[in-house]
């Protein structure tokens, strides 16, 4: 036995070395971003066509690196000074990649000037295009003459050769306002402008978000204190993420401290010795280590939620240790005590492993990670119980401990309630029907907005920035699909034409797509024809008489501007506008999504995508798969129980966790808990732990240690309530949901293990004879 223990200790040491090496060498990283949960299982539909969720994930990941600080003041000069000073302070903060001031600095569009020069007469601003279509070419001719003789003119010989009528500056000015998102805005005698901040890519991966946000807040606080007339608002995913993490971290720290102290007090109070505490810590620790090792070996990126669920499920492993520790020395040597509980441990482990194996076949990486962590961890915990615990010194539980006294009274009361066998089966049938009905009747809410704590100040800032500048908010976009890039560009131009009235009405703040940067060849040809007819023919000779350079009179097909990777890579803002055979039009400050859908309804290849709705639908997909996996787990557990105990007793074992799940769902819903993907995952824990309660109680009828087994189950309930029940006090909705459901479910599963599975000692003795 000592040899097996030694071999297993060596295996645990190897696991620890592998895990530390994988993480320290950055072969595996831990990702806490909720975006990492979505889209991973949804590969491209083909080589060039991507699913909505993948595009949403890519766009939100890019937006996660951007923060917006809006500065407003009653005095324009004071605003400019404060904005420039703050922008420089933001640049000096570690983790800041770029800072731009659209209201006071030249935008990224200027960098395209050289590229656009030879295509100038095919690139018209919407205002210039409307003027030519309305026959007002003379105004543009006069403007060209004024620009030619203006002291501040930037016209050169090269620009005159390609753009004699100075049409390109108007196109670039219009483009700059689109790329820059917003500039200087005057509202109610106050001026406002944004400071656009781009974070370095490694800020999140290095865990520097909280430090970066703290420094940003310090700058804002200092500036606000220095000038009472200065008003500053901020928005960006990084601010919300840090706020949510702060709430979750404070809750988890509080709960972890209370739960740890509670478990230590329980174990020491029952055994009056530290040795059983060491045994439980070894069991739980080996499970945690094995689970993490499995994840870092198999996956390159591990999500924090998978770690949380996996670590929570390893709470089952303390049950394995407690069932061995509560058996008194009078039962026999360590090998004899282990022989008493080994069948129950094996069946409990097999049932749980089969249940969580169902998660592994779902098409979601998150569920696969939870499955692998749980299965690996529980197997390791079982091995620790059967190899290491038997070689440790044993301490009997103290009969006069306060916990033992309380348990004795509760045990006596619960054993007085007996349910006849036929009624138990009737209850099981009703529970199955009730659970099926509940699945189809109870409303679910997978909205991602319901998962977080929320920050009223940040929400108000985001609303204010959206209303004032027309930027920020829910980053909706229009998706345009098409095999040919020119077809997509023409569709993008049609979308802008359709949405222009909506922008004028204030329903939509802004839009920006690839066709704004690179017009379609059809549009460029139309523009050239307009320039030739409305400018070149009537005013060309007059203009050339005033110019020192000859201007081209015709253009070939090869002169048309077309999108290519070099052009798209010129400006970072363009990188997310094309995904294979899909183009994206970014929308800002959407106030009425239905109005936008109606406006583009006749444009066949264009459709509005709402990331919030898309992600919500994805979590609903996860919830459906988790529900199917839970149902499969219950069926497998029932089959295993019937094989082990026979039809009647086996179905009783299944009834305990099944009824507990039903009561947990109904009880949580009655308390206002949202039924979502995370609620179903909490039910998995109710099933796994509740099934163990029923199995260990049933197994005790075979080895005769019913009282000790029921006491061990009672201790397991206390540890589980300490570990999970306290989550119900969290201010974070998703954590509160998990805690509430598990608390209700485990309490019910524990009581049901008495009423559905246990038998009085007299009956047990009669059966054995």
């Amino acid at each position: 036995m000592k040899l097996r223990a030694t071999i297993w200790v060596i295996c645990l040491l190897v696991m620890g070395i592998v895990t530390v090496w994988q993480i320290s060498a950055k072969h595996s990283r831990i990702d806490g971003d909720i975006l990492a949960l979505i889209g991973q299982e949804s590969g491209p539909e083909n080589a060039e066509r991507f699913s909505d969720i993948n595009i949403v994930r890519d766009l939100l990941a890019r937006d996660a690196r951007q923060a917006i600080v809006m500065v407003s003041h009653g005095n324009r000069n004071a605003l400019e000074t404060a904005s420039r000073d703050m922008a420089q302070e933001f640049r000096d903060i570690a983790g800041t990649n770029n800072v731009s001031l659209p209201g006071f600095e030249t935008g990224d569009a200027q960098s395209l000037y050289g590229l656009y020069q030879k295509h100038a007469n095919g690139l018209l601003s919407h205002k210039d295009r409307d003027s030519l279509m309305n026959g007002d070419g003379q105004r543009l001719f006069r403007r060209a003459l004024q620009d030619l003789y203006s002291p501040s003119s930037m016209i050169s010989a090269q620009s005159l050769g390609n753009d004699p009528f100075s049409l390109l500056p108007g196109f670039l000015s219009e483009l700059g306002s689109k790329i820059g998102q917003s500039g200087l805005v005057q509202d109610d005698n106050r001026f406002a402008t944004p400071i656009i901040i781009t974070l370095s890519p490694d800020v999140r991966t290095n865990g520097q978000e909280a430090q970066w946000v703290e420094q940003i807040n310090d700058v804002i606080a200092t500036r606000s204190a220095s000038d009472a007339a200065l008003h500053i608002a901020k928005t960006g995913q990084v601010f919300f993420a840090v706020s949510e993490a702060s709430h979750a971290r404070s809750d988890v720290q509080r709960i972890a401290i209370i739960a740890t102290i509670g478990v230590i007090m329980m174990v020491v109070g029952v055994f009056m010795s530290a040795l059983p505490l060491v045994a439980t810590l070894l069991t739980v620790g080996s499970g945690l280590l094995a689970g993490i090792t499995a994840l870092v070996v198999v996956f390159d990126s591990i999500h924090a939620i998978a770690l949380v669920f996996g670590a929570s499920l390893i709470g089952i492993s303390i049950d394995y240790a407690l069932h061995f520790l509560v058996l008194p020395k009078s039962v026999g040597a360590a090998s004899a005590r282990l022989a008493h509980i080994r069948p129950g441990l094996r069946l409990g482990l097999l049932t749980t492993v089969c249940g969580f194996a169902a998660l592994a076949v779902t098409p979601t990486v998150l569920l696969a990670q939870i499955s692998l962590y749980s299965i690996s961890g529980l197997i390791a915990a079982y091995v620790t119980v059967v190899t290491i615990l038997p070689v440790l010194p044993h301490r009997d539980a103290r009969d006069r401990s306060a916990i033992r006294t309380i348990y004795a009274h509760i045990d006596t009361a619960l054993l007085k309630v007996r349910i006849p066998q036929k009624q138990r089966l009737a209850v099981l049938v009703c529970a199955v029907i009730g659970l099926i009905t509940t699945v189809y009747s109870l409303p679910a809410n997978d909205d991602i907005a319901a998962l977080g704590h929320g920050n009223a100040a940040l929400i108000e800032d985001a609303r204010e920035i959206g209303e004032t500048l027309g930027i920020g908010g829910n980053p909706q976009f229009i998706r345009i699909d098409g095999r040919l890039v020119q077809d997509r560009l023409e569709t993008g131009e049609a979308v802008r034409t359709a949405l222009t009235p909506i922008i004028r009405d204030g329903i939509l703040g802004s839009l920006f797509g690839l066709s704004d940067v690179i017009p379609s060849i059809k549009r460029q040809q139309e523009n050239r024809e307009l320039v030739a007819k409305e400018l070149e023919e009537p005013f060309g000779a007059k203009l050339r008489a005033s110019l020192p350079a000859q201007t081209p009179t015709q253009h070939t097909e090869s002169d048309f501007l077309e999108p290519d990777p070099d052009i798209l890579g010129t400006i970072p803002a363009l990188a997310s506008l094309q995904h294979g055979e899909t183009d994206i039009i970014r929308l800002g400050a959407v106030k009425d999504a239905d109005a936008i859908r109606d406006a583009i309804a006749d444009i066949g290849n264009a459709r509005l995508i709402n990331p919030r709705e898309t992600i919500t639908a994805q979590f609903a997909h996860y919830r459906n798969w988790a529900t199917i996996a839970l149902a499969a787990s219950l069926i497998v557990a029932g089959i295993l129980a019937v094989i082990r105990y026979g039809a009647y007793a086996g179905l009783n074992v299944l009834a305990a966790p099944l009824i507990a799940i039903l009561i947990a769902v109904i009880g949580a819903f009655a308390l206002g808990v949202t039924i979502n993907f995370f609620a179903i995952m909490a039910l998995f824990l109710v099933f796994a732990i509740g099934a163990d309660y029923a199995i260990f109680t049933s197994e005790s009828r075979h080895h005769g240690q019913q009282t000790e087994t029921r006491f061990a189950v009672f201790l397991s309930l206390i540890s589980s309530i300490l570990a999970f029940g306290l989550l119900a006090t969290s201010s974070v909705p998703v954590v509160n949901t998990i805690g509430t459901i598990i608390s209700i479910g485990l309490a019910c599963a524990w009581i049901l293990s008495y009423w559905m599975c246990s038998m009085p000692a007299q009956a047990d003795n009669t059966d054995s004879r």
Side-chain angles (χ1 to χ4, degrees), residues 141 175 324 389 533 736:
F141 168 63
L175 177 60
F324 177 79
L389 265 58
K533 179 179 179 182
N736 178 279

Side-chain angles (χ1 to χ4, degrees), residues 621-644:
H621 176 66
Y622 291 170
R623 174 175 51 80
N624 291 334
W625 271 107
T627 302
I628 294 172
L630 179 60
S633 302
L634 288 168
I635 294 172
V636 171
I639 294 173
L640 293 174
V642 168
I643 294 174
R644 170 65 177 167

Side-chain angles (χ1 to χ4, degrees), residues 27-44:
H27 296 299
S28 296
R29 66 183 184 89
I30 298 175
D31 197 339
D33 187 0
I34 195 171
L35 297 177
L37 293 176
I38 62 174
Q40 295 187 43
E41 70 287 349
S42 303

Side-chain angles (χ1 to χ4, degrees), residues 29-30 66 75 92 117 157 224 251 307 310 370 438 462 501 503 554 599 632 712 716 728-729 738 753 759 767:
R29 66 183 184 89
I30 298 175
Q66 186 179 84
N75 183 283
D92 295 337
Q117 272 193 342
S224 297
D251 283 347
L307 294 179
I370 292 174
T438 299
I503 295 176
Q554 61 181 3
S716 298
T729 65
I738 295 170
S753 69
M759 294 180 66
D767 291 342

Side-chain angles (χ1 to χ4, degrees), residues 468-604:
T468 304
L469 301 177
I471 59 178
N474 187 14
Q476 300 185 48
F477 63 90
I478 292 175
R479 172 175 182 160
I480 299 174
D481 293 313
R483 188 175 61 84
L484 301 177
V485 64
Q486 291 302 319
D487 291 341
R488 299 197 302 271
L489 292 175
E490 290 177 19
T491 301
E493 292 161 352
V495 167
R496 174 166 285 281
T497 300
L499 296 184
T500 296
I502 290 180
I503 295 176
R504 285 198 300 263
D505 294 339
I507 297 174
L508 174 64
S510 63
L511 72 153
F512 176 59
L514 189 59
S515 60
D516 292 314
V517 182
I518 304 174
S520 66
I521 290 178
K522 179 181 179 181
R523 175 61 58 87
Q524 292 180 59
Q525 182 64 53
E526 291 174 350
N527 289 343
R528 290 180 177 183
E529 291 174 356
L530 280 173
V531 170
K533 179 179 179 182
E534 302 295 334
L535 284 177
E536 181 63 33
E537 291 180 7
F539 306 109
K542 295 180 181 179
L543 183 64
R544 278 191 292 274
S546 304
L547 296 179
Q550 293 295 317
T551 60
T553 58
Q554 61 181 3
H555 295 269
T556 62
E557 194 71 17
S558 60
D559 288 331
F560 289 115
L561 181 64
E562 296 188 64
D564 59 51
D566 292 336
I567 295 176
L568 298 182
T570 303
I571 298 179
L574 307 184
S576 63
L577 298 181
Q578 192 173 66
H579 297 258
E581 294 183 353
T582 298
D583 286 356
I584 301 299
I585 296 180
R586 302 296 302 268
L587 306 179
V590 176
K591 296 182 179 179
D592 188 346
D594 291 335
I596 295 175
R597 289 191 179 95
D598 292 341
I600 65 174
D602 295 333
I603 305 175

Side-chain angles (χ1 to χ4, degrees), residues 35-343:
L35 297 177
L37 293 176
I38 62 174
Q40 295 187 43
E41 70 287 349
S42 303
E45 298 166 18
N46 56 51
E48 297 295 332
R49 184 178 173 84
F50 292 82
S51 65
D52 288 349
I53 194 67
N54 269 316
I55 295 177
V56 166
R57 185 169 185 261
D58 180 68
L59 291 178
L60 292 185
R62 294 176 184 275
D63 289 349
R65 292 181 52 205
Q66 186 179 84
I68 301 172
V69 176
M70 183 185 75
V71 187
S72 64
H73 199 287
N75 183 283
R76 176 169 178 168
N77 292 331
L79 173 65
E80 181 172 358
T81 300
S83 299
R84 292 187 184 278
D85 290 345
M86 288 180 64
Q88 187 56 51
E89 292 180 82
F90 292 153
R91 291 187 183 98
D92 295 337
I93 295 176
T96 299
N97 184 59
N98 181 57
V99 178
S100 63
L101 281 168
F104 299 110
E105 297 177 355
T106 302
D108 290 326
Q110 192 64 30
S111 63
L112 288 172
Y113 184 77
L115 176 69
Y116 282 150
Q117 272 193 342
K118 65 178 181 179
H119 308 284
N121 69 335
L123 305 174
L124 297 177
S125 68
H126 288 89
K127 184 177 181 180
D128 289 351
R129 178 180 168 84
D130 289 342
S131 295
L132 293 179
M133 293 182 69
N134 293 329
D136 190 13
Q138 187 172 15
R139 184 183 66 83
L140 300 186
F141 168 63
R142 290 176 179 174
R143 186 188 67 185
L145 292 178
Q146 291 173 355
D147 290 343
L148 178 64
Y149 297 107
S150 171
S152 59
S153 175
M154 300 294 293
I155 295 176
S156 64
Q158 182 180 6
S159 65
L160 287 174
N162 293 297
D163 185 23
F165 290 96
S166 298
L167 300 173
L168 185 56
F171 177 84
L172 287 174
S173 175
E174 186 178 83
L175 177 60
S177 65
K178 298 171 185 174
I179 295 178
Q181 301 182 44
S182 181
L184 188 66
V185 175
Q186 185 176 7
D187 184 25
D188 294 333
N189 297 321
R190 288 186 67 86
F191 297 90
T193 190
I195 302 175
I196 310 297
I197 311 171
T198 303
L199 282 71
S200 300
D202 58 349
V203 169
R204 193 188 71 183
T205 56
N206 293 337
Q208 298 175 347
E209 303 106 310
Q211 182 180 359
W212 187 86
V213 168
E214 182 180 0
Q215 294 183 70
I216 291 290
N217 289 336
D218 288 343
V219 172
I220 292 175
T222 301
R223 286 290 167 179
S224 297
S226 66
D227 187 347
L230 191 66
H231 175 68
I232 304 173
K234 63 180 183 293
T235 190
Q237 291 184 30
V238 65
F239 297 117
F240 286 96
V242 169
S243 174
E244 291 293 341
S246 176
H247 283 289
R249 184 163 47 251
S250 62
D251 283 347
V252 169
Q253 288 174 348
R254 170 178 57 84
I255 292 169
I257 292 173
I258 296 174
T260 301
I261 294 174
V263 170
I264 292 174
M265 291 176 62
M266 180 193 74
V267 175
V268 175
V270 169
F271 296 95
M272 298 299 176
S273 172
L275 284 172
L277 179 61
V278 172
T280 56
L281 293 178
L282 280 173
T283 305
V284 174
S286 63
L288 292 172
L289 177 59
I292 294 175
T293 302
L295 289 184
V296 300
V297 169
V298 175
F299 296 98
D300 295 330
S301 178
I302 307 165
H303 200 275
I305 290 181
L307 294 179
V308 170
F309 271 109
S312 299
L313 186 62
I314 301 305
I316 301 174
S317 62
I318 200 173
D319 300 355
Y320 298 170
L322 289 172
H323 280 283
F324 177 79
L325 295 172
V326 297
L327 292 179
K329 289 182 179 178
S330 59
V331 174
S335 58
R337 296 196 303 273
L338 186 60
H340 276 299
I341 67 168
R342 184 183 279 121

